[in-house]
Amino acid sequence: MNFKKIASALLALGIFTISQTVFAQDEIDKKVDSVLSKMTLAEKVGQMNQYNGDWEATGPVTKDVGNKLDEIKQGRVGAVLNIMGSAHTKMFQDAAMQSRMKIPLLFGQDVIHGYRITFPIPLAEAASWDPDAIERAERIAATEASASGINWTFAPMVDIARDPRWGRVMEGSGEDPYLGSLIAAARVRGFQGRGLGSIDAVMACAKHFAAYGAAVGGRDYNSVDMSLHQLWEVYLPPFKAAEEAGAATFMNSFNDLNGTPATGNKYLQRDVLKGKWNFKGFVVSDWGSIGEMIPHGYAKDNAEAALFAVTAGNDMDMESRSYIGNLEKLVNDGKVPMSMVDESVKRILRKKFEMGLFDDPYRFINASREKSMLNRPESREEAREIARKSVVLLKNDKQLLPLSRQLKTVALIGPLAKAKKEQKGFWSLDIDPNEDIQSVMEAMEKAAPMTKFLYSYGCNIDDQTKSGFADAVETAKKADVVVMAMGEAPDMTGEAKSKANIHLPGVQEDLIKAVVETGKPVVVLLMAGRPMIFNWTADNAQSILYTWWLGSLGGGAIADVLYGDYNPSGKLPITFPRTEGQIPIYYNHFNTGRPGVSDKDVFYKSAYIDLPNSPRYAFGYGLSYTTFQYTDDDAFYSKAQIKDNETLKISLTIKNTGQYAGEETVQLYIRDLVSQPLRPVKELKDFKKVFLQPGESKKVTFTIDRNMLYFYNDNLEYVTQPGDFQVMIGSASDDIRLHRTFELTN
Ligand code: NOJ
């Protein structure tokens, strides 16, 4: 066995990665050049072409498709999507191996929150504020997907979203650039594991580049109009973090940005991503987004759309057929230089080499591995753990929660009490159609065998009728405690699922009223993919847990929280508005010239006359079954200074003053008090998780350094400005327990 074979054998076992070993970058570049030199123009264009598979569509289906397997055999396809499982991927890879150049296919898939095991939706996971746990979740998703022939996921979605009407808010990490960046990097690390070339790594794809989450009115696919300053400060940081973490690919987006569709946007793709950030991977279009430049009114036909996209730096065409139909002619007519096509093909081939696909096109296609890697017990444990961490306790009057296992009778009411598959939420895969998922009711029955459980559905999610209310009320009256499982349907958030009305749907809030009016203690579980509006419930229900969609292990995780086997620790990654009219509402806004302190300051509040200025629940908010006391470790506030590369340490003591062991997420925000241009009233810059037994105290120390103080000036230079800064440390963005100021000097 020669060295290369030994290395390949070790690689197959996942012992070390290609990038660390024999296949150094320059060697890969030589191989790429060698393959490229043998390719015809048509074959090069083929590498830049991606087709949807034959059994599932996640976008509008292209008309007039030929036989895809034949096209693959002709070398006209470089990647496919929505082809899963070892048998199915093998069939397609066999076709690629019959092409003249035998270039292996990439198999892309939306592995958004798990593959066989569905993890909580990404927004829920973000509520854990636990990048390590999120990385482990993506590691499992990648291990499962890669064992099923997938080598490329269209994730992470790292779009900042400040508008809960937008259906895709469920797919990202919420509104904050700092938290969003940490999670973006964690997801990339999780997907790519020990590096491309490991048998259990899939290529990550940071999407949607860029600013897709800022669609006007929260309407999916809509225009985005924003200053470059806001783009760089708020929307680009998670992309930068994903790139720095090594994301192999990027996907552009459907929206136009200031009048230029992102797919045809040279500034974003060539100048920023491939230029300033020196990104070495490749860019894929979103589904049909090259062709969509025609209805946008940007390109007159498919040929012009292809010309604009390739010129702007879009390397691969997902399902527009604009490249396969036009690129060859564009090159032959001298409109697109061959070097431009070569550059895109090199980027794509390089990744195929790095993935080890040229050594073994079937390395991810292995039926026995597939069987052994999916749905492993330890992976399910991890999924349950992160599901528990994702739950946010919004209210817990008179410590109704956790529930006692000694309760005689509990009534479960609501349209989601018996929900099973629904808990997987949008963008989940149905790998095992017989997947056995526990409903909340089943999980509670298992957790509390001494308790008698009663059930009444009350109403369906979207019902306008109250015909089920009487039975629900009668059922509630027979119980010691009522648990109501309410919320959205899983397909009410996700792609193309924007809503103008994000109130708890149908008559559900009326049902909550009817049940609360019985006088019984009521716990409301809210399952949804976005922040919903539920003011009456927020004011009147005794306890509220926001559970989002928690995935395959959701039922058990909710029971763990209800019975106190897990003390909730989630914090909101996105602001919850009081009503739709407040949107967009986010914590890191600028002050106006008339900020006001009270809602009575008519001319000084820059808000609505019919609403308080504050949100319903602020970014960073989330309760625990226990309470935490914050004590400043210094006897007085001192005004400190930071010079050059000095750091400033701030310490405080956190004490668990309640009855339960629990974890607090201590959040550090900074405000630049005077600056040009303006800086937000607060920005999250760090946080620490502290786990404490009842009565226990721990010292928490934050280190402030100059890196936390950079921002983009009017010329988009990344700078610091000397002056005074305020530090705010607390339990939520609106619950600050400790203030400090310091001065940055030059
Ligand atoms: C369109 C979505 O915008 C994108 O996120 C997804 O990856 C593709 N469809 C493929 O399904």
Side-chain angles (χ1 to χ4, degrees), residues 619-645:
F619 174 83
Y621 174 78
L623 303 174
S624 163
Y625 294 154
T626 192
T627 43
F628 299 102
Q629 185 188 67
Y630 286 55
T631 315
D632 193 342
D633 275 357
D634 290 328
F636 54 90
Y637 292 140
S638 62
K639 181 168 161 164
Q641 283 192 336
I642 299 188
K643 277 195 218 111
D644 306 319
N645 292 326

Side-chain angles (χ1 to χ4, degrees), residues 301-320:
D301 55 21
N302 243 315
E304 199 171 74
L307 171 67
F308 290 160
V310 76
T311 308
N314 179 115
D315 302 301
M316 187 180 278
D317 172 355
M318 180 196 286
E319 268 297 336
S320 282

Side-chain angles (χ1 to χ4, degrees), residues 121-135:
I121 58 165
L123 185 62
E125 286 185 338
S128 73
W129 291 49
D130 191 337
D132 293 343
I134 292 173
E135 182 175 337

Side-chain angles (χ1 to χ4, degrees), residues 58-59 81-82 110 154 168 171 207-208 212 221 251 254 286-287 318 427 495:
T58 44
L81 75 151
N82 292 329
D110 290 291
F154 302 127
R168 300 195 79 168
E171 225 180 304
K207 70 186 189 184
H208 305 82
Y212 181 42
Y221 316 127
M251 182 187 290
F254 292 124
D286 202 344
W287 179 299
M318 180 196 286
W427 278 127
E495 185 177 349

Side-chain angles (χ1 to χ4, degrees), residues 689-704:
K689 288 184 160 286
V690 194
F691 185 85
L692 296 166
Q693 296 297 335
E696 194 189 0
S697 298
K698 272 188 194 156
K699 182 170 165 160
V700 176
T701 302
F702 288 100
T703 305
I704 312 252

Side-chain angles (χ1 to χ4, degrees), residues 105-274:
L105 285 173
L106 289 173
F107 292 92
Q109 187 65 44
D110 290 291
V111 183
I112 306 295
H113 51 117
Y115 183 74
R116 160 61 181 81
I117 300 172
T118 303
F119 283 80
I121 58 165
L123 185 62
E125 286 185 338
S128 73
W129 291 49
D130 191 337
D132 293 343
I134 292 173
E135 182 175 337
R136 289 197 297 276
E138 301 302 27
R139 194 78 292 283
I140 291 165
T143 304
E144 290 196 344
S146 63
S148 285
I150 303 302
N151 44 41
W152 182 17
T153 173
F154 302 127
M157 189 277 221
V158 303
D159 296 308
I160 293 293
R162 292 169 157 184
D163 191 332
R165 293 171 301 180
W166 189 49
R168 300 195 79 168
V169 71
M170 52 103 10
E171 225 180 304
S173 298
E175 74 187 36
D176 185 62
Y178 174 74
L179 183 63
S181 298
L182 291 183
I183 295 176
R187 291 192 190 280
V188 171
R189 286 196 303 271
F191 285 132
Q192 299 190 169
R194 286 160 295 177
L196 302 189
S198 306
I199 193 68
D200 57 3
V202 296
M203 294 198 296
C205 181
K207 70 186 189 184
H208 305 82
F209 198 61
Y212 181 42
V216 172
R219 299 205 303 275
D220 210 358
Y221 316 127
N222 207 7
S223 291
V224 173
D225 195 350
M226 70 167 62
S227 69
L228 288 182
H229 189 258
Q230 183 170 101
L231 179 74
W232 279 89
E233 281 289 341
V234 180
Y235 289 85
L236 291 187
F239 286 101
K240 180 121 193 333
E243 198 282 324
E244 283 169 2
T249 68
F250 266 54
M251 182 187 290
N252 55 38
S253 52
F254 292 124
N255 57 288
D256 75 83
L257 175 65
N258 304 335
T260 303
T263 306
N265 199 310
K266 180 173 164 297
Y267 173 72
L268 286 174
Q269 296 170 104
R270 280 213 193 277
D271 301 350
V272 175
L273 180 60
K274 294 178 174 178

